[in-house]
Amino acid sequence: MSLHVDAGQRTRAPMPPSRRHVRPGPGRSFLTWLDLKAAPYLLVSPYYILFLAFGLFPLGFTLYYSFFDYDLTGTVEWTGLGNYVAMLDDPAFWRAVVNTLAMFVIATVPQMLLALLLANALNRRMRGQLFVRLGVLLPLVTSVVAVAVVFTQLYGRDWGVVNWILSWFGIDPIDWKAERLPSWLAIATMVDWRWTGYNAIIFLAGMQTIPKDLYEAASIDGASRRRQFWQITVPMLRPTMIFVVLNSTIGGLTLFAEPTTFYNGNVHGGTTSQFQTVSMFIFEQGFREFDYGYASAAAWLLFLLILIGSAINFLLIRRIGGNK
Amino acid sequence: MTTLSAPAGTRRRRAKASPGGAAGLWNATPLTKLILAVTIVISAFPLYYMIVIASRTNVEATDMPPPFLPGGNLGENVRRVLANPDAHYLTGLTNSLIIAATVTVSVVIISTFAGFAFARLKFRGGKVLLLLVLLTMMVPLQQMGIVPLYRLMVSLEWVGSIKAVILPYLLNGFGVFLMTQYTQQAVPNELVEAARVDGASTLRIWWNVVLPAVRPGMAVLGINTFMLIWNDFMWPLIVLTPDNPTVQVAINSLNAKYGTDYVLIFSGTLMSILPLIIVFIAFGRQIIGGLMEGAVKA
């Protein structure tokens, strides 16, 4: 047991003597050469074999499939860019894109602000620090499907807690699944409930690397706490923010489990697909309509969307940071 | 437990004592305490509500106003979930455990190997290969590759088998990245050189020098991977059949077929997060420590 406890210091301990007698003799030079030159490649090879099989191969084939037309009877026909052209003209695809982007924005903007404020609150001297941090992180351990099940109930039309609370204010029951905006809001809260605390902890880590003297100097100059937050903390958090926002962009634009569970496990995303995301669209085309080519083309367009989204957010955050 | 928590505790203390840290610059005001209290209540409420509904009857679950205290029906509901002919719940639970455990162990080993090579061994093309890992972390492979992966599983006749779920999960760029970072920090270069001079082979250095030092990093990666795999939904939904599901797919079957049997669905959901809650309670400190360290380095 004690061996494990000080793993940190043990790295500086000398090598155990048992290894000292294994010296390379003259006959071992080839083996030594092999060990020095080949071992690194052997060590990284499992990752790259997996990468070839489950990363590069599917990516390449997704591109290849996207040039073909599949139909239910099993005929496969080359269409070139036909799938892409058809998709840019397909209202169902664009609806999925709009839904995805709208839910992403509705979820992410308040989430970032809340996470920042929460991190600022966490960044104080207090008792029970670990307990508080664990409490904030609690949603992360809940599985996405579980979150969605509970929130679907909370947002129920007839027996949901949310409508019950709204009724105190004289608001009529809302059918959260039926319309675009209410369903987007409901799904965005699921996402935010799960990720705000996580992002706050990441921001907190970033805040703790900001040098104290910056705040001390600002205090001497008479800057208020609020001013210090916006003019020191936020700009200094820029690298952390880029990490958090890029993560949220990828996660948000590939949203799948929450909206699917919200419609009882159906990827159609509501009666008129009012909350179908692009990931659900890909699933539906590929595994409900069995149009592999169309689904593959949608996957590449989703990738494009993520690249554009990441680039825009990256530039946005850089501006926030530069605005001192 | 003690073996894992002790090193993390040391690291936390070090981080706090570091001169640049602004931790605890100010005391918590009553307002911050209030904000934090409200946040914790909001964080915990859906989980609490899960217990409330799972322990009620369907009549009570659809009461107006809704119930806010647990009832006495949990045992009966759990029995109904386990006996449900469409969910295959116990199979799902077992499958999820096997999948998550296998993937976690494999990913940790693969990542520790690669992390050691990238951090402490010099080899031609190493930088480029590492860059490739970072690039692939930006690609949502799960969405991008599902069609060919599914067709691959069809032609291997693996559809419906948990092999088809396990293998693609083994590819984990984040793990390689994390272990590279961690090895750089925890294993001094001189130590590797010294072992080399003493005639230790590369594999031996990995086993005797690297592995003991990076154990806390392995724990963090392991916990993260376990939670990630346990929760994943899309790929098992595609490649598994309802009679041999993961636990998330089993809940989905309940949700799709018994949409208004709330207590049934909630009991299934509650049981599915129990393993995660146990992991969280046992390793909470490591999870937070790992998150915060990873964030600053990235």
Side-chain angles (χ1 to χ4, degrees):
Chain A
M1 277 305 178
S2 66
L3 261 184
H4 300 164
V5 171
D6 58 3
Q9 283 93 34
R10 210 145 63 90
T11 55
R12 271 170 286 287
M15 294 291 297
S18 63
R19 222 156 299 138
R20 291 188 186 272
H21 66 266
V22 198
R23 292 188 183 279
R28 301 173 61 99
S29 62
F30 173 72
L31 282 178
T32 312
W33 174 87
L34 193 73
D35 185 50
L36 281 175
K37 293 294 172 193
Y41 295 102
L42 283 178
L43 287 175
V44 299
S45 61
Y47 175 81
Y48 287 96
I49 291 168
L50 288 165
F51 174 70
L52 285 180
F54 303 114
L56 208 56
F57 154 79
L59 270 187
F61 264 82
T62 304
L63 189 63
Y64 175 77
Y65 286 163
S66 73
F67 299 132
F68 288 89
D69 196 18
Y70 291 78
D71 70 24
L72 283 169
T73 57
T75 27
V76 182
E77 226 174 277
W78 169 266
T79 62
L81 291 174
N83 282 324
Y84 293 94
V85 173
M87 196 162 311
L88 294 179
D89 228 13
D90 182 351
F93 174 71
W94 286 110
R95 190 172 46 220
V97 170
V98 171
N99 291 344
T100 309
L101 289 177
M103 282 186 255
F104 169 65
V105 172
I106 295 174
T108 308
V109 173
Q111 186 190 149
M112 289 301 137
L113 289 174
L114 284 174
L116 266 178
L117 295 177
L118 190 56
N120 198 39
L122 285 168
N123 196 16
R124 303 288 168 97
R125 247 193 310 256
M126 68 183 94
R127 285 207 290 190
Q129 201 178 49
L130 181 67
F131 173 78
V132 174
R133 288 179 187 176
L134 285 176
V136 166
L137 203 61
L138 192 58
L140 191 73
V141 301
T142 323
S143 78
V144 189
V145 176
V147 177
V149 163
V150 176
F151 275 82
T152 305
Q153 166 87 354
L154 293 176
Y155 279 107
R157 190 190 55 192
D158 301 317
W159 303 294
V161 172
V162 175
N163 275 350
W164 180 63
I165 292 174
L166 289 179
S167 73
W168 302 348
F169 305 98
I171 299 172
D172 287 333
I174 297 172
D175 190 352
W176 293 95
K177 287 185 195 175
E179 302 279 334
R180 263 190 151 177
L181 192 60
S183 61
W184 293 347
L185 279 174
I187 292 163
T189 30
M190 296 181 204
V191 176
D192 283 358
W193 180 77
R194 190 171 156 81
W195 291 106
T196 306
Y198 168 84
N199 285 333
I201 295 286
I202 307 277
F203 280 143
L204 174 65
M207 283 180 184
Q208 296 192 340
T209 62
I210 301 174
K212 263 183 194 167
D213 13 331
L214 284 180
Y215 293 98
E216 275 154 15
S219 294
I220 293 167
D221 289 348
S224 66
R225 282 280 169 79
R226 185 181 301 260
R227 221 183 126 137
Q228 290 179 26
F229 177 72
W230 289 109
Q231 307 222 322
I232 299 174
T233 310
V234 172
M236 292 295 284
L237 269 185
R238 195 174 63 184
T240 316
M241 265 193 226
I242 289 176
F243 170 79
V244 167
V245 169
L246 289 189
N247 250 345
S248 306
T249 308
I250 298 176
L253 296 181
T254 55
L255 196 66
F256 178 80
E258 286 94 341
T260 304
T261 310
F262 195 51
Y263 197 46
N264 289 75
N266 188 326
V267 289
H268 196 58
T271 42
T272 53
S273 297
Q274 60 271 29
F275 49 89
Q276 187 184 48
T277 63
V278 179
S279 285
M280 293 157 80
F281 179 81
I282 296 172
F283 191 113
E284 190 174 43
Q285 293 303 321
F287 304 103
R288 293 294 174 261
E289 314 280 333
F290 297 100
D291 195 341
Y292 296 130
Y294 209 54
S296 299
W300 273 96
L301 289 179
L302 173 65
F303 185 46
L304 196 67
L305 197 68
I306 289 169
L307 285 184
I308 296 171
S310 303
I312 291 175
N313 281 326
F314 182 72
L315 294 174
L316 222 64
I317 299 294
R318 269 216 335 204
R319 267 190 77 93
I320 291 175
N323 241 343
K324 290 211 178 168
Chain B
M1 267 264 302
T2 46
T3 56
L4 286 169
S5 62
T10 335
R11 276 187 286 124
R12 267 162 45 86
R13 271 199 296 285
R14 229 191 292 147
K16 229 186 254 173
S18 73
L25 188 58
W26 305 300
N27 280 319
T29 61
L31 180 68
T32 32
K33 282 181 183 162
L34 183 71
I35 293 175
L36 293 174
V38 171
T39 310
I40 291 174
V41 169
I42 294 176
S43 296
F45 178 73
L47 301 181
Y48 172 74
Y49 197 63
M50 209 181 280
I51 300 172
V52 171
I53 299 294
S55 61
R56 293 279 181 163
T57 63
N58 272 315
V59 179
E60 293 168 333
T62 52
D63 257 353
M64 249 323 172
F68 284 105
L69 288 174
N73 230 26
L74 184 62
E76 166 64 18
N77 293 336
V78 167
R79 210 164 32 244
R80 276 177 57 215
V81 172
L82 299 183
N84 188 286
D86 291 306
H88 302 275
Y89 197 88
L90 277 181
T91 315
L93 214 53
T94 319
N95 279 342
S96 282
L97 276 175
I98 297 173
I99 293 168
T102 316
V103 172
T104 300
V105 171
S106 317
V107 163
V108 167
I109 293 174
I110 292 168
S111 304
T112 313
F113 270 141
F116 168 44
F118 284 131
R120 285 295 169 252
L121 301 176
K122 289 179 186 62
F123 58 108
R124 198 183 289 266
K127 289 237 165 61
V128 179
L129 286 174
L130 184 60
L131 194 68
L132 197 66
V133 177
L134 298 184
L135 281 179
T136 52
M137 279 169 65
M138 293 296 293
V139 184
L141 282 172
Q142 225 200 358
Q143 275 79 12
M144 291 294 295
I146 46 170
V147 173
L149 270 183
Y150 176 74
R151 310 248 306 168
L152 175 70
M153 296 309 165
V154 170
S155 51
L156 291 172
E157 295 182 359
W158 282 6
V159 172
S161 144
I162 60 171
K163 275 182 292 189
V165 179
I166 292 175
L167 277 164
Y169 281 154
L170 296 183
L171 176 64
N172 187 326
F174 171 75
V176 175
F177 171 71
L178 186 81
M179 289 320 294
T180 304
Q181 297 281 337
Y182 204 89
T183 311
Q184 252 158 11
Q185 173 211 304
V187 185
N189 221 347
E190 305 85 65
L191 202 66
V192 177
E193 296 299 322
R196 196 63 92 193
V197 170
D198 284 346
S201 68
T202 306
L203 206 62
R204 208 173 169 136
I205 295 174
W206 178 76
W207 179 254
N208 287 79
V209 178
V210 176
L211 215 51
V214 299
R215 206 168 284 169
M218 291 164 74
V220 169
L221 176 62
I223 296 162
N224 281 357
T225 311
F226 188 90
M227 296 202 302
L228 193 78
I229 302 303
W230 183 269
N231 284 335
D232 200 60
F233 176 51
M234 189 170 173
W235 178 240
L237 184 65
I238 292 171
V239 86
L240 291 183
T241 48
D243 59 336
N244 188 31
T246 63
V247 73
Q248 312 296 345
V249 176
I251 294 174
N252 190 58
S253 306
L254 286 179
N255 203 11
K257 287 207 181 94
Y258 306 90
T260 54
D261 195 344
Y262 300 113
V263 298
L264 184 75
I265 298 168
F266 269 61
S267 307
T269 311
L270 181 66
M271 284 190 279
S272 81
I273 63 165
L274 279 185
L276 295 178
I277 299 282
I278 292 170
V279 169
F280 190 64
I281 291 171
F283 301 109
R285 190 188 290 270
Q286 284 78 6
I287 296 174
I288 293 199
L291 268 183
M292 292 182 65
E293 276 196 28
V296 176
K297 270 182 228 117

